[in-house]
Amino acid sequence: MTTENLFELKNVAKLFTKGKETISIFEGLNMHIKKGDFMAIMGPSGSGKTTLLNLLGGVDQPSSGEISFDGQRIDNLSESQLAKWRANNIGFIFQFYNLMPMLNAAKNVELPLLLTNLSSSERKKQVATALELVGLSDRAKHMPSEMSGGQQQRVAIARAVVSDPTFLLCDEPTGDLDRQTADEILEMLQLLNSKFGKTIVMVTHDPSAAKYATHTVHLNKGKFVKAEELLV
Amino acid sequence: MKDFYLIYKNLTRKKMRLFLTTFAIFIAFLIFGAIMTLRSALNSGIEMSADNRLVVMHKISFTNPLPYAYVNKVKAMDGVKDVTHANWFGGYFQEPTNQVVTMAVDPESYLSVYPELVVEPEQLENWTKDQSGILIGERIAKANNWQIGDRIPLSSNIFSQKTGGQTWDFTVDGIFKGNDAKVDTGYALIHYKYFNETQAWGGDSIGWLILTTTDPALNEQVSKAIDENFANSNSETKTSTEQAFNKAFIDQIGNIGLIIFGVVFMAFFTILIVVGNTMVLAIRERTNEIAVLKTLGFESSRIFKMVLVESCLLAFLGGLFGIGGAYLIVQGAAKEMARFLPNLILDEAIFGQALIYMLVLGLITGIAPAISALRLNIVTAFSRG
Ligand SMILES: Nc1ncnc2c1ncn2[C@@H]1O[C@H](COP(=O)(O)OP(=O)(O)O)[C@@H](O)[C@H]1O
Ligand SMILES: [Mg+2]
């Protein structure tokens, strides 16, 4: 196993059972993600992009096959081991920001740090750093409802990086934003990748968003395909 | 607990809902505290009555006096251990509303029939020697802030002095306590001899007799013998056990107590449904947020605990206000009702019981939503939203 691969998926299958019906999303899926990658995943709705992110993020588990992260198998971890693993290694960024509405920006950003042994003052310091990184130091005390979509997504990015994970997962992070705001967010992700060495996988529908990534893969009906094949 | 802020924010996120559920729990515990105090006050009289003590009253009513000679006659009867007697003095301090329940008794025999009353030997000796002395109960002493050596004028609303006026001056010679917290100490004792000599009506009469039997098994036999002995005299008697005497009085209120008790449980049942339902709704609304927390790495068991702590906080918030309110009500009522219900105290036992009920309420109303939060699957929660 080469250590430069952060993720390695071998022969991964994912089935969903709905009542009597069984739907196969992936079958024999192989994939690897290099350290320092900024990978964009594109593909039509229902092609399995979110399901793939869930598998990478340890939120869901494959029906069969192996998933390794940094040389360690994660497909056979228990629910509680996975939770700890997520807290230590993954930052999540969602389409609809998913901030806690009753917490202000700073308290939202602090959430992942509640899972660490940091003291209250150390947590505050790290929150301030993360908010500064996304340019929202002056909004620390604002509630999500008092912020624009772009600002909320920047709070979400601060929350994703506050505990300094190596890997960021973004599911359509600009899907709910206008062009200009989307570009700001994408520039920020690009910066996190190039300057802070974060490995990023981003699902997007937007071809111009994919341009910010170092490379793009296309998913169709649970299989990686060439871009041209999708257009047909 | 690092999650406390999160729990607190969840609890208080909807102010109106928080207020209404807290208020509902407040009412339930207000009723609980008041009713349980009433019940324990009613029961304490029965619990505290000695099982070998008999009360001899005039057959017609206990306001009719009995001749003093009955004391020695009863003392001579078989199965009787000690006999004492008491006269109702009434009594108030300065204002008729400021009641001081006072009885005129024979010090030595009275205290031997009521061994649960505890007096320091020195104080007892002083009072026994001092004709115009008064022995006051601890509760009276505290309520009026009276100390040994104080001279207090007590007025009777029944009797007058031979020398005119209805007010006697007494010196506080001692303060009696109970050997148990439930023993009533809300009254005062004066010398029968002194009272009898100074009151204007004259005549050696007593209000009622209290006696102990040598064996509780003899109670019935002795009662019967006493009443038969005085049958066809000018003052026929009615003898009953102290327990029966107290119980007969309490049973009238006791039945009402049972009904109110039912009301308490109805109230709790309603609260359980209302609060339980509110918690279920509150957690269902947060499906997405719980999924986010789990995604970030919060373990299911931790979220389970957070929901339970939240529902318990809610129960304790309303419950403590409720029991506090009940305490204030009881404090107010205790003064008014000291004469009928001397033990109207919201004590540690009731408070402890209330705390347990708060915990139970919190756990019951929180368990279902906590379990659904525990089981919540991230993938399905997000695909639903
Ligand atoms: N929890 C689930 N149970 C059953 N089917 C699911 C579940 N999640 C996703 N699917 C199905 O899997 C397929 C891929 O879904 P998804 O990964 O969300 O696609 P995308 O994100 O590319 O739009 C869809 O057909 C969807 O209906
Ligand atoms: Mg999707």
Side-chain angles (χ1 to χ4, degrees):
Chain A
M1 185 168 293
T2 49
T3 45
E4 66 175 80
N5 278 345
L6 189 61
F7 264 105
E8 204 138 355
L9 278 70
K10 271 189 208 155
N11 210 17
V12 166
K14 180 66 190 173
L15 305 169
F16 281 121
T17 38
K18 248 186 195 160
K20 283 177 199 157
E21 250 183 291
T22 303
I23 325 163
S24 167
I25 312 295
F26 298 120
E27 248 174 280
L29 189 78
N30 293 297
M31 157 185 212
H32 58 88
I33 299 166
K34 287 200 182 74
K35 264 183 196 161
D37 254 8
F38 183 175
M39 176 192 279
I41 301 178
M42 295 192 72
S45 204
S47 57
K49 304 184 296 294
T50 297
T51 305
L52 179 59
L53 283 201
N54 287 343
L55 292 175
L56 292 175
V59 160
D60 203 357
Q61 285 181 299
S63 309
S64 67
E66 288 178 17
I67 302 179
S68 318
F69 175 84
D70 219 3
Q72 299 277 315
R73 289 275 296 272
I74 62 157
D75 54 88
N76 48 14
L77 296 182
S78 71
E79 197 200 301
S80 130
Q81 287 172 320
L82 270 179
K84 288 194 185 84
W85 176 80
R86 287 197 299 272
N88 289 332
N89 298 292
I90 316 288
F92 291 88
I93 296 161
F94 308 87
Q95 178 177 1
F96 297 108
Y97 333 126
N98 280 338
L99 300 177
M100 301 287 140
M102 73 292 183
L103 299 181
N104 67 28
K107 288 288 177 187
N108 263 293
V109 174
E110 193 184 348
L111 283 175
L113 299 180
L114 297 180
L115 302 165
T116 66
N117 292 324
L118 296 179
S119 71
S120 165
S121 62
E122 286 170 318
R123 295 202 298 269
K124 284 212 171 72
K125 221 154 79 189
Q126 249 172 273
V127 167
T129 310
L131 280 173
E132 198 177 323
L133 183 74
V134 298
L136 283 180
S137 295
D138 55 335
R139 293 284 195 279
K141 290 277 174 317
H142 286 223
M143 302 305 281
S145 58
E146 299 163 350
M147 289 187 278
S148 70
Q151 287 172 331
Q152 288 186 61
Q153 192 61 301
R154 288 191 326 199
V155 174
I157 292 174
R159 179 179 68 186
V161 299
V162 73
S163 57
D164 201 24
T166 42
F167 189 61
L168 297 183
L169 277 174
C170 322
D171 197 351
E172 306 193 27
T174 58
D176 199 43
L177 301 173
D178 61 63
R179 182 74 264 151
Q180 198 198 325
T181 317
D183 284 335
E184 282 168 25
I185 294 295
L186 289 161
E187 275 162 25
M188 200 167 281
L189 291 177
Q190 203 171 39
L191 185 82
L192 286 169
N193 172 247
S194 61
K195 201 158 165 233
F196 293 90
K198 303 288 174 207
T199 306
I200 301 177
V201 169
M202 171 179 76
V203 162
T204 183
H205 267 117
D206 177 8
S208 59
K211 283 181 196 134
Y212 287 86
T214 47
H215 70 282
T216 304
V217 296
H218 296 270
L219 203 58
N220 192 26
K221 292 178 185 155
K223 289 195 165 60
F224 289 115
V225 295
K226 290 206 170 74
E228 307 84 73
E229 290 176 49
L230 266 181
L231 300 173
V232 191
Chain B
M1 190 171 181
K2 277 186 273 184
D3 297 339
F4 190 80
Y5 184 78
L6 203 58
I7 297 168
Y8 167 76
K9 280 291 173 184
N10 271 328
L11 181 65
T12 56
R13 61 199 288 169
K14 291 203 166 156
K15 302 285 188 296
M16 194 59 187
R17 178 153 80 187
L18 175 66
F19 173 76
L20 289 175
T21 41
T22 304
F23 186 72
I25 300 170
F26 164 80
I27 294 293
F29 277 92
L30 190 74
I31 295 173
F32 176 82
I35 295 294
M36 292 308 275
T37 305
L38 180 66
R39 205 181 75 124
S40 116
L42 290 174
N43 284 340
S44 69
I46 300 171
E47 275 172 38
M48 282 299 117
S49 47
D51 57 0
N52 69 334
R53 216 145 48 197
L54 302 181
V55 181
V56 185
M57 301 184 300
H58 196 283
K59 194 177 183 180
I60 295 168
S61 147
F62 99 111
T63 54
N64 288 35
L66 296 171
Y68 183 82
Y70 279 23
V71 176
N72 283 325
K73 284 183 184 167
V74 169
K75 210 180 275 177
M77 294 179 72
D78 281 344
V80 174
K81 195 170 144 211
D82 292 307
V83 184
T84 192
H85 54 91
N87 285 62
W88 185 258
F89 175 77
Y92 59 88
F93 175 65
Q94 291 170 341
E95 299 286 324
T97 49
N98 193 2
Q99 273 225 349
V100 178
V101 175
T102 306
M103 283 173 294
V105 301
D106 168 54
E108 202 179 325
S109 62
Y110 191 86
L111 288 170
S112 64
V113 169
Y114 288 96
E116 66 265 40
L117 305 183
V118 186
V119 197
E120 302 256 337
E122 197 189 328
Q123 296 179 13
L124 180 61
E125 205 191 318
N126 285 343
W127 178 54
T128 313
K129 278 191 261 173
D130 178 11
Q131 283 299 292
S132 65
I134 187 168
L135 183 72
I136 59 175
E138 196 179 18
R139 209 152 58 77
I140 296 255
K142 277 193 183 139
N144 297 285
N145 199 20
W146 287 337
Q147 266 123 28
I148 292 173
D150 285 356
R151 277 194 75 75
I152 47 168
L154 286 185
S155 311
S156 172
N157 32 32
I158 308 169
F159 301 99
S160 313
Q161 287 230 49
K162 272 180 185 158
T163 53
Q166 296 196 300
T167 305
W168 275 258
D169 275 325
F170 297 105
T171 311
V172 178
D173 287 326
I175 296 171
F176 69 84
K177 296 186 172 95
N179 62 1
D180 181 294
K182 279 189 173 162
V183 172
D184 179 19
T185 59
Y187 58 96
L189 300 171
I190 57 173
H191 287 264
Y192 167 75
K193 235 175 119 189
Y194 177 66
F195 163 73
N196 200 38
E197 279 163 9
T198 50
Q199 56 108 339
W201 285 359
D204 294 331
S205 54
I206 53 172
W208 63 94
L209 291 156
I210 312 104
L211 62 105
T212 48
T213 54
T214 50
D215 185 340
L218 296 174
N219 285 357
E220 202 149 324
Q221 201 185 314
V222 172
S223 314
K224 233 171 159 185
I226 292 170
D227 292 347
E228 271 167 18
N229 190 33
F230 298 119
N232 306 318
S233 74
N234 279 339
S235 306
E236 295 192 37
T237 60
K238 188 170 152 260
T239 305
S240 52
T241 64
E242 189 180 56
Q243 251 165 341
F245 178 74
N246 286 339
K247 200 163 180 298
F249 168 70
I250 279 146
D251 272 354
Q252 301 171 25
I253 315 167
N255 286 335
I256 304 165
L258 195 73
I259 295 165
I260 306 171
F261 207 59
V263 173
V264 170
F265 275 93
M266 287 303 284
F268 264 96
F269 191 69
T270 314
I271 292 310
L272 213 65
I273 294 186
V274 169
V275 179
N277 198 44
T278 308
M279 277 304 292
V280 168
L281 283 179
I283 300 304
R284 191 172 299 163
E285 281 169 13
R286 287 182 222 156
T287 298
N288 194 62
E289 291 165 32
I290 292 168
V292 171
L293 286 179
K294 286 195 177 188
T295 305
L296 295 181
F298 282 77
E299 284 185 50
S300 296
S301 55
R302 186 160 170 172
I303 293 170
F304 175 83
K305 271 183 230 150
M306 280 166 63
V307 174
L308 273 188
V309 170
E310 182 181 340
S311 65
C312 287
L313 274 181
L314 182 63
F316 278 99
L317 180 68
L320 287 175
F321 272 119
I323 209 77
Y327 182 78
L328 293 179
I329 290 176
V330 167
Q331 287 269 299
K335 274 189 196 130
E336 302 297 315
M337 295 169 74
R339 205 181 134 180
F340 315 103
L341 280 174
N343 271 312
L344 209 58
I345 311 157
L346 202 163
D347 59 12
E348 295 94 349
I350 296 171
F351 184 68
Q353 228 176 336
L355 287 180
I356 291 169
Y357 279 115
M358 287 173 214
L359 185 66
V360 169
L361 178 73
L363 292 178
I364 291 181
T365 54
I367 193 72
I371 288 176
S372 60
L374 177 82
R375 290 206 187 132
L376 187 113
N377 178 280
I378 303 175
V379 178
T380 42
F382 279 140
S383 61
R384 237 189 283 142

